[in-house]
Structure formats: C-alpha cells, structure tokens
Amino acid sequence: MSHISLLTSIDSTGHIHLIIGSNPLAAARCAKSLEVGAKPLLIAPDTVELHYALQKRIDNGEVVWLKKPFEDEDVLRLGREEINGVVDAVFVTSGPRDPLSAHISLLCRRNRIPVNVSDASSLCTFSLLSTHTDGPLQIGVTTNGRGCKLSSRIRREIASCLPPNLGAACARLGTIRQRIQEEDHLTHMALSGDLDDEDSIDQTSTFNKLVTEADLDAAKNRRIRWLSQICEYWPLRRLANITDADVESVLKLSASNPSTSATPDTTNLDSRTEKKGRIILAGSGPGHPDLLTRATHKAILTADIILADKLVPSGVLDLIPRRTPVHIARKFPGNAELAQEELLSLGLAGLKAGKTVLRLKQGDPYIYGRGGEEFEFFRREGYGDVVSVLPGITSALSAPLFAGIPATQRGVSDQVLICTGTGRKGKPTVPPEYVDTRTVVFLMALHRITGLVADLTSWESEDAKVLDGSVEVDRSRRLWPKKTPCAVVERASCPDQRVIRTTLEFVGAAIEEEGSRPPGLLVLGNACEVLNKPDKGRKWVVEEGFKGFGDFEGMGLEFVLGGKEERDRV
Ligand code: SAH
C-alpha cells in the first residue's frame, strides 16, 4: 500500500546524532549532521579502518569517535543533559543484513528515538530527503522509498528551474519582513494571510479582502501587506533579483502618511528631451504567455519603460528584456488609488522624456482594467494622440473556457454577463437578476463570496442593506436558485490553475475550506454543467492544473484538418 509522509523541518542545532558504523555512508551522515548544526557521535570499535573523510573530521575535532561496540544504553545516556541523556537521532549505516540494524531499530522505536537505517525503509522511523540548499532556502524531495536516485534526479530538475540568487533573496525578504514586523509591533502575520505554517500553499480566503484607504487599522499594516503581495505575485526571477531600490520602496511605504509613497522616482527620466513619447495601453491576457497577442509581445520587446499591473502574469514579465526598466504597481488591499496615481505619474514622466511607455495590464485593458480612465488621463494631459490601446484576452471569457465551460451553448445559455463582485470604494454591486439561459462571470468577487451568494439568492441580505441607504430593495428581481451550478476558476491558464465545481449553495463553504489562490473568478449558470456533469453526492469537486493547449507538433496535418472539419459540421 502506498503511503505519504509528514514532511517537516527540524531545527537540529546542538542535537546529538548517534552514527553507528565506519563506512563512507557514516562519513556522509556525519557531514550532514554537522551541516545542520548537530553534534555527530560516531560509534565504531577501534579495530575498524575509518573512511579517510571521517578520519579527517575526527582529527580536526568535528566528530567525536567513541571507540567501542554499540551498547543499548548508548541511546539513553549519550544525549543532551537537558533531555536526560537521550540522543536526538540514531543513524545505522551497516544496512539491513546486519542483525544489529533490526535490533537498534526496535530499541529506538521503543524509546521513541528517531532512527534511520540505511537501505532499510522498514527499519526507519524517518528518512532523509534529497535536498537542495541555497542560503535559508531548502527544498526536499522524497519518493517515499521508491528510489533515492529518482528523488535526487527530481530534486536536481526542480532546482535547475529556479532563478539564481533565490536563496539570498529569501534571506533578504525575511530580514525585511522581520524589520517591518518589529517596527509595526505585529505579533502575527495572520492578517496578511502569511501564516508561519509553510504547508498552507494557498492563501486564506481573505487574502485579498477589501481594505479601504480610510481604514485606520489598515494604515499600520501597509508595508507588511505589500510585502505579502510581492511574495505572492512577483515572478520568482524578479524576486530573486530584488534590488536595494525595491527594498527601499517597501520600507518607505509610510504608515502614517501614505501619500509620500506615491511620489515616484523619476530622476532617471530626462524631461528636457524634444523626442515625442508614446504610450501603449496593452492587455497581457489571463496568464499563459502564449495567450499574448503579437502586438503586445512586440510592444514588450520595444518599450523603453514598462509599467505593469501587479496581476500581470510572471510568464509574461519573463519576456521583458533584461535592460528594460519595469515598475510593478504597488497595488494591495487599501492602496489601489495610490498605486494607480503612482503609475500614472510615472507614465507621464516617461512621456515627457520622450520614451515609449508600455502600460501593461492583465487580461484586456478595457475590462475592469481602468484602461478607459487611463486613456482619459493621458488625453487630458495633452497626449491623446500618442496613446494606443491593444486588446488582450480577457480572463472573463477565457477562464471559463479553460475550465471546460462554454459561456454560451445552444439550448442552455444564450447570453453572457460580465460583472464585478466589488463596486467602487468596495461597496457591493447590485446583483444581476436570474435568467436561466444566462452565464454570469463575476470578477473580483471571491473575497466576498458569502455576501455575493446572499445577494443573488435573497432580496435582503446584509450586503444589500449596505448598498446605499437610499436604494429600495427591488422585490421584482428574480432570485438565483441555490442549486444553480457554478465554478470558481483561479489562476486560469497558469500551471497552478484550479477549478472548483459546485453550486451556489456550497460555493461559500468550498472557498472557505479550500482557501483562495488569487486571481480567481466565479462563473454562474447552467453552462457550467454542459461539459462536466455534476458528481452526484459531492458538494464540490476540485480540479488542479492547467491542461495546456495540446501539442500539435508531431501530429499529421490531416489529423488537425480532420479535427477542424469535424468541428465545423457540428
Ligand atoms: N482586465 C482583466 C481583469 C482585471 S480585474 C481581464 O480582462 O481579465 C481582476 C480580476 O480578474 C480578478 O479579481 C479575477 O477575478 C480576474 N482574473 C484575472 N486573471 C485571472 C485568471 N488568470 N484566472 C481567473 N481569474 C482571473
């Protein structure tokens, strides 16, 4: 039967590791113990010939060699005083055939001492992972006894995908985090969704919870919130190369006077030039870089300066030439307006300096991307004739597709409505009326899913009351049945895409339980069940991963054409 293990990391500083044996493996174990700050005690009779590496460590005092055969009491008396002499871990290196191995294994188990016997998983209570270490960053791989060569190969492959300097960046980010925490007297990171338990892969469902700029408590935690967002959204390559200027920009986000942070550094943009600047507002698609248009790709390669939204996918940012300056909007809950002002003034400064400025947005610039406002801004500033707008594939229509949901389908859905779950200043929006042949896509809605569901399924939910004191509750509005199918689609087209298929009744509970993986949206309507029939008896189903675009390489042209003909006939 297959099992998986509880992976943990153990602070072994000062621990006593008993290493039994004298072969090269014993040398390797000693080296590992020393690496993690433990004290290795080697037990081997002095008749044996020691591996030379081991002998060297003994000679220079790193390893203590107890020249004697193993005795049962050793595990209970050679350890740290503070734990009554019990050793912290035992490594037996002589392999499964040595009868002593089984004996020591049993002895340790009885005394609750972690024991590892080389090449004998059944005699181990723990095993060592194949590890990649880079500064404070450690990555461990196990195949749970299916082969250490394989683990090591997988570990190498994973490590080779990481950008250089990531370890140093982790150290740096950790220091910044600690400094901010100390300065802000934060005792816990729960607020920013950054829990200490690294097992929480996904964010809590409130990670992107709305925080208004007037929120006093919010002001205090601005920097830590921005730091969390950087760690969540910036491409790893960018994080790995975090600069002094980046660090300054996080630290300088003032808690008491937010406006000081909105003054962008434009010192390197020469405003005296005569050359006429250009500004391109472009959409970068939902996530996967293959979903960029050629026009936007060209703009990325030729711009003098790029001003990107926080949500611009990392695969797209990776296409930016190394020398092009990039500014990523410091947008986090509570800082939307300031981040926007900051980008606009940077754009203006670039234009004045005669630069080609690319304002890169996620999805399509005119679908909840404030693209229209930005166009107006630059026109007002006298640059209307040098603004161009390039479309992008919107997540609103592509995320359903990647989740296997045809937004329209003959006989099921004849209209699609795109709306937002969050209105201006964070107020709830007027919920759309139920139409049984309608597919509704809600962007920016998952952080208030419970309120949204209540608005859709009842006339007088809590949120409806907040809407605007003056608005009469419209009782003629048709309500959505709770059994209406819906799907939460997160990080559509990214490798960590996730789809949760459920109904209005359970979607709130599903998000609460599964956490959130922003950005994500909600698709509502019978179209959700056209290609994926519901799993009877299950409240929700979670699907992980992005299937990609299919690999047409190597397929005969005939096949592709055949497929197309088939589609055309339907
Ligand atoms: N202009 C963008 C939308 C910006 S609003 C577009 O056309 O796609 C931001 C919202 O878009 C997020 O809150 C989320 O609801 C949605 N979104 C963006 N990218 C997404 C993705 N890859 N998967 C799912 N939802 C996404």
Side-chain angles (χ1 to χ4, degrees):
M1 231 218 6
S2 74
H3 78 283
I4 56 164
S5 307
L6 176 68
L7 297 185
T8 54
S9 62
I10 300 171
D11 177 355
S12 306
T13 321
H15 283 193
I16 305 271
H17 289 171
L18 214 57
I19 294 159
I20 298 156
S22 56
N23 57 14
L25 210 61
R29 294 288 181 252
C30 283
K32 192 73 180 169
S33 291
L34 288 167
E35 195 185 313
V36 300
K39 295 180 183 151
L41 286 186
L42 185 78
I43 297 196
D46 70 354
T47 47
V48 298
E49 196 176 323
L50 286 189
H51 183 256
Y52 74 94
L54 207 44
Q55 187 64 56
K56 208 169 129 205
R57 289 193 190 276
I58 291 163
D59 293 346
N60 66 23
E62 287 176 292
V63 177
V64 174
W65 179 14
L66 303 173
K67 297 175 182 171
K68 65 181 209 62
F70 174 80
E71 292 165 284
D72 287 4
E73 307 81 69
D74 290 346
V75 299
L76 299 174
R77 68 181 177 92
L78 295 173
R80 292 177 285 151
E81 216 177 283
E82 67 213 81
I83 49 170
N84 293 335
V86 180
V87 298
D88 294 287
V90 173
F91 295 89
V92 185
T93 60
S94 49
R97 275 187 293 276
D98 181 351
L100 194 61
S101 297
H103 172 76
I104 298 177
S105 169
L106 188 63
L107 173 72
C108 288
R109 280 165 210 254
R110 284 199 177 132
N111 288 287
R112 301 269 185 167
I113 300 169
V115 59
N116 175 277
V117 179
S118 316
D119 294 325
S121 53
S122 63
L123 298 181
C124 295
T125 58
F126 74 98
S127 55
L128 296 177
L129 306 181
S130 172
T131 52
H132 165 80
T133 306
D134 177 10
L137 170 69
Q138 286 186 284
I139 296 171
V141 175
T142 176
T143 51
N144 282 297
R146 308 310 196 278
C148 53
K149 284 268 181 301
L150 187 57
S151 311
S152 139
R153 165 77 204 287
I154 294 170
R155 184 254 307 155
R156 286 201 312 273
E157 201 93 349
I158 293 171
S160 70
C161 298
L162 299 174
N165 307 328
L166 195 55
C170 289
R172 201 141 181 227
L173 287 160
T175 313
I176 304 173
R177 177 183 142 162
Q178 199 181 353
R179 186 170 145 192
I180 297 175
Q181 272 180 302
E182 278 164 15
E183 287 176 10
D184 293 356
H185 308 293
L186 281 182
T187 46
H188 203 270
M189 294 282 292
L191 184 143
S192 57
D194 190 358
L195 304 169
D196 280 336
D197 184 354
E198 298 185 52
D199 189 32
S200 51
I201 316 160
D202 291 308
Q203 298 294 348
T204 59
S205 53
T206 53
F207 178 68
N208 275 339
K209 182 171 159 279
L210 187 94
V211 179
T212 62
E213 274 151 50
D215 191 336
L216 283 181
D217 275 349
K220 197 168 150 219
N221 306 319
R222 294 161 51 79
R223 299 186 302 177
I224 209 79
R225 222 176 299 122
W226 174 227
L227 190 63
S228 302
Q229 299 268 328
I230 286 182
C231 294
E232 178 67 28
Y233 291 105
W234 275 20
L236 274 190
R237 199 185 75 179
R238 178 88 167 82
L239 267 182
N241 292 314
I242 186 161
T243 62
D244 288 341
D246 292 330
V247 173
E248 272 306 297
S249 86
V250 176
L251 292 176
K252 267 205 203 136
L253 262 180
S254 139
S256 50
N257 181 11
S259 60
T260 55
S261 64
T263 319
D265 177 13
T266 53
T267 41
N268 55 353
L269 299 172
D270 182 357
S271 57
R272 286 159 305 177
T273 174
E274 291 302 308
K275 200 178 132 209
K276 197 151 192 216
R278 277 183 67 203
I279 182 141
I280 305 165
L281 297 178
S284 60
H288 197 293
D290 285 3
L291 298 171
L292 272 181
T293 63
R294 291 182 64 164
T296 300
H297 191 196
K298 213 151 97 189
I300 288 176
L301 297 179
T302 53
D304 295 319
I305 168 171
I306 297 183
L307 308 174
D309 276 350
K310 180 189 78 182
L311 281 182
V312 169
S314 42
V316 171
L317 294 178
D318 281 345
L319 299 172
I320 299 175
R322 270 177 197 283
R323 271 179 291 278
T324 311
V326 188
H327 179 92
I328 301 178
R330 293 196 285 191
K331 193 169 171 207
F332 56 87
N335 198 51
E337 292 307 322
L338 289 170
Q340 184 69 7
E341 278 169 30
E342 188 176 19
L343 278 195
L344 289 177
S345 32
L346 274 171
L348 207 53
L351 276 174
K352 285 183 181 155
K355 308 272 180 194
T356 297
V357 180
L358 172 60
R359 179 67 187 95
L360 199 55
K361 296 173 153 296
Q362 201 252 352
D364 182 275
Y366 280 178
I367 300 287
Y368 296 117
R370 301 181 72 162
E373 282 170 46
E374 292 189 18
F375 185 93
E376 277 184 312
F377 171 85
F378 291 112
R379 189 167 59 184
R380 236 185 359 256
E381 295 287 336
Y383 291 93
D385 56 336
V386 292
V387 190
S388 17
V389 187
L390 307 178
I393 294 183
T394 177
S395 62
L397 296 176
S398 59
L401 179 147
F402 291 125
I405 301 168
T408 68
Q409 171 86 358
R410 232 164 355 137
V412 180
S413 165
D414 55 14
Q415 50 182 268
V416 188
L417 180 67
I418 300 173
C419 43
T420 171
T422 311
R424 291 202 71 181
K425 301 220 162 77
K427 287 194 177 163
T429 45
V430 180
E433 169 161 71
Y434 172 63
V435 177
D436 68 346
T437 58
R438 176 183 275 180
T439 305
V440 192
V441 184
F442 292 94
L443 277 67
M444 298 177 279
L446 299 182
H447 62 274
R448 58 166 293 257
I449 189 72
T450 319
L452 177 67
V453 171
D455 285 350
L456 290 165
T457 55
S458 66
W459 284 303
E460 276 171 286
S461 68
E462 276 307 299
D463 281 339
K465 283 182 212 149
V466 187
L467 255 179
D468 189 331
S470 58
V471 174
E472 285 274 307
V473 176
D474 173 12
R475 285 180 181 279
S476 64
R477 172 166 62 89
R478 293 182 67 203
L479 297 176
W480 290 79
K482 287 198 170 143
K483 62 174 191 349
T484 313
C486 64
V488 173
V489 190
E490 293 167 292
R491 302 187 62 80
S493 82
C494 300
D496 52 350
Q497 170 178 308
R498 181 173 72 174
V499 181
I500 304 176
R501 299 184 201 280
T502 180
T503 58
L504 267 187
E505 183 176 4
F506 299 115
V507 66
I511 291 179
E512 177 119 341
E513 198 161 303
E514 306 290 341
S516 73
R517 199 177 286 181
L521 49 74
L522 179 76
V523 193
L524 175 64
N526 293 321
C528 292
E529 282 183 356
V530 166
L531 302 181
N532 290 277
K533 300 294 166 218
D535 200 340
K536 290 261 180 290
R538 292 179 68 180
K539 292 178 179 160
W540 64 83
V541 176
V542 182
E543 288 168 16
E544 289 280 353
F546 174 59
K547 292 194 187 73
F549 304 113
D551 182 7
F552 292 109
E553 265 167 50
M555 281 185 189
L557 187 59
E558 231 173 299
F559 179 92
V560 178
L561 289 178
K564 186 170 181 297
E565 270 170 24
E566 184 91 338
R567 268 202 310 277
D568 287 347
R569 267 206 305 275
V570 173

